[in-house]
């Protein structure tokens, strides 16, 4: 009998541990859902503890209070699931169901209808659990989300099946007598605890996964603009090129003109606004398939899949003209700025860094020819060819002059 009592005390202890786990999740990343889950397991721990302490009590107040704690545990669990998958939970509706459930349960206790009391105690919790299934239904699920849906479905079914199974096994409904039979009592607590533990472990893993994904996302995102940083850009661009090395891809490298002067004249806060606005502009023009990154400082890079050099140059021109009309509020007046652009096209088989280097050279060409313009690798090649031709002309002129001097 003493061992049985110790076994029953394991449930409140385990529930307390889960409550602490959810609080720790909230401390790592504030989450209202995690706090609601913690409250659910805390109330569940209290429900199990009181159930053990007053297992022989037939007081309507005591039995209704314990049933209310179990139902509240279910309600909080469902509200946490709803918060995680959909947003604010339908608290008023669920609390209304809880009140009706306890009113019916208390009335059946007063009427001493043990059969209906057994069904009512479980049926009310089953209805509340059903709302958890509604919250998860139709959502984009991954493996863990599907596992939670399965486990919660099993818990829901268990609420409706348990009183029938008890009546079938004992030949009578759940009462103080049948509930106190050792094997039945142990089995009941074991099944409920196993369901709650499986649900709790699944939820902890799901919330931990979300924290890990947030950390992973923040490691490849620029906090000021929300764009990819250099690391994130290289990861996505490399994956895109590896998926099909022969696809047409172009790169745009952009740099805000005279950005240091903007910071010096208007302050770093205004400079940050300019960078954020410029990043948003480039992302909008690049479209959903474009990969846009803030490479550092006031420099951006845009990868455009399935777009050739000519079309990419047109995109860069749109970005340039949009930058001119872009205005950033600076308390006293609106600040406008310009940017220079370099464009290059990926060549099959080369490294991504080679394409970036050619776009950088084109950007440098744009910077040295007056800024606020777009230059492509073709423009750069033409300039170099003209330079070579001029050198050749100069060389031929030198040879002619030297011949005349010798004559």
């Amino acid at each position: 009998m003493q061992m049985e009592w110790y076994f029953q005390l394991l449930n409140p202890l385990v529930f307390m541990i889960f409550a602490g786990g959810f609080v720790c999740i909230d401390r790592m990343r504030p989450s209202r859902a995690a706090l609601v889950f913690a409250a659910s397991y805390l109330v569940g721990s209290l429900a199990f503890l009181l159930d053990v302490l007053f297992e022989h009590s037939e007081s309507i107040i005591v039995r209704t209070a314990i049933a209310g704690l179990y139902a509240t545990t279910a309600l909080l669990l469902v509200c946490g699931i709803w918060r995680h998958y959909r947003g604010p939970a339908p608290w008023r509706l669920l609390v209304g169901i809880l009140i009706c459930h306890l009113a019916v349960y208390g009335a059946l206790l007063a009427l001493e209808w043990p059969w209906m009391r057994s069904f009512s105690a479980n049926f009310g919790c089953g209805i509340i659990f059903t709302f958890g299934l509604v919250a998860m239904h139709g959502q984009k699920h991954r493996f863990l989300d599907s596992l939670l849906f399965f486990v919660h479905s099993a818990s829901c079914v268990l609420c409706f099946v348990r009183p029938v199974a008890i009546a079938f096994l004992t030949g009578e409904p759940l009462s103080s007598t049948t509930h106190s039979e050792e094997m039945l009592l142990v089995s009941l607590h074991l099944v409920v605890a196993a369901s709650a533990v499986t649900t709790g472990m699944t939820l902890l893993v799901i919330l931990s996964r979300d924290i890990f994904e947030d950390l992973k996302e923040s490691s490849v995102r620029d906090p000021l603009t929300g764009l990819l940083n250099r690391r994130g850009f290289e990861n996505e661009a490399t994956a895109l090129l590896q998926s099909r090395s022969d696809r047409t891809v172009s790169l745009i490298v952009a740099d805000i003109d005279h950005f240091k002067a903007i910071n010096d004249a208007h302050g770093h806060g205004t400079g940050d606004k300019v960078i954020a606005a410029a990043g948003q502009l480039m992302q909008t023009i690049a479209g959903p398939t474009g990969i846009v990154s803030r490479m550092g400082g006031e420099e951006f890079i845009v990868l455009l899949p399935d777009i050739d050099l000519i079309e990419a140059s047109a995109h860069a021109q749109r970005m340039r003209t949009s930058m001119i009309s872009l205005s950033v509020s600076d308390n006293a007046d609106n600040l406008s700025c310009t940017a220079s652009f370099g464009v290059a096209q990926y060549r099959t088989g080369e490294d991504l860094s080679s394409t970036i280097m050619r776009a950088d050279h084109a950007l440098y060409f744009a910077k040295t020819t007056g800024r606020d313009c777009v230059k492509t690798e073709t423009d750069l090649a033409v300039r170099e060819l003209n330079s070579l031709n001029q050198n050749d002309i100069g060389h031929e002129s030198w040879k002619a002059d030297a011949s005349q001097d010798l004559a």
Side-chain angles (χ1 to χ4, degrees), residues 290-406:
I291 301 175
V292 185
S293 167
R294 181 189 177 197
M295 297 298 279
E298 66 275 18
E299 186 174 336
F300 299 85
I301 188 167
V302 182
L303 184 145
L304 300 171
D306 303 316
I307 290 180
D308 61 17
L309 186 67
I310 296 175
E311 193 175 352
S313 179
H315 274 70
Q317 286 289 0
R318 287 178 57 200
M319 293 176 184
R320 185 190 70 82
T321 55
S322 297
M323 281 291 294
I324 295 173
S325 59
L326 181 69
S327 61
V328 177
S329 177
D330 179 36
N331 296 327
D333 53 12
N334 288 332
L335 172 68
S336 61
C337 56
T338 63
S340 302
F341 298 82
V343 187
Q345 183 173 324
Y346 172 74
R347 298 171 185 173
T348 303
E350 74 174 352
D351 292 333
L352 176 64
S353 58
S354 299
T355 312
I356 296 175
M357 185 180 298
R358 293 201 311 279
D360 269 332
H361 289 163
L363 172 64
Y364 181 75
F365 184 27
K367 286 287 189 181
T368 57
T369 54
R371 294 183 171 85
D372 187 23
C373 61
V374 175
K375 295 296 181 182
T376 69
E377 59 180 337
T378 302
D379 297 324
L380 194 60
V382 170
R383 187 196 68 167
E384 292 174 352
L385 181 60
N386 289 337
S387 177
L388 289 173
N389 289 337
Q390 289 176 359
N391 288 337
D392 289 342
I393 292 173
H395 181 64
E396 292 297 330
S397 176
W398 176 84
K399 286 174 63 180
D401 291 342
S403 299
Q404 289 178 3
D405 290 341
L406 288 173

Side-chain angles (χ1 to χ4, degrees), residues 45-67:
S45 175
L46 180 61
F48 271 116
L49 183 61
L50 293 179
D51 202 5
V52 171
L53 294 176
F54 297 98
E55 63 177 298
H56 298 294
S57 174
E58 284 296 316
S59 167
I60 295 178
I61 296 176
V62 171
R63 299 317 311 174
T64 302
I66 293 174

Side-chain angles (χ1 to χ4, degrees), residues 116-135:
M116 293 305 298
R117 164 190 162 185
S118 175
F119 278 95
S120 171
N122 291 273
F123 196 80
C125 290
I127 292 175
I128 293 173
F129 270 130
T130 303
F131 281 85
L133 299 179
V134 173

Side-chain angles (χ1 to χ4, degrees), residues 27-28 49 152 155 161 176 188 226 233 249 292 318 382 406:
R27 295 295 298 271
M28 287 187 286
L49 183 61
H152 193 71
S155 300
V161 172
S176 59
L188 280 175
F233 175 81
V249 175
V292 185
R318 287 178 57 200
V382 170
L406 288 173

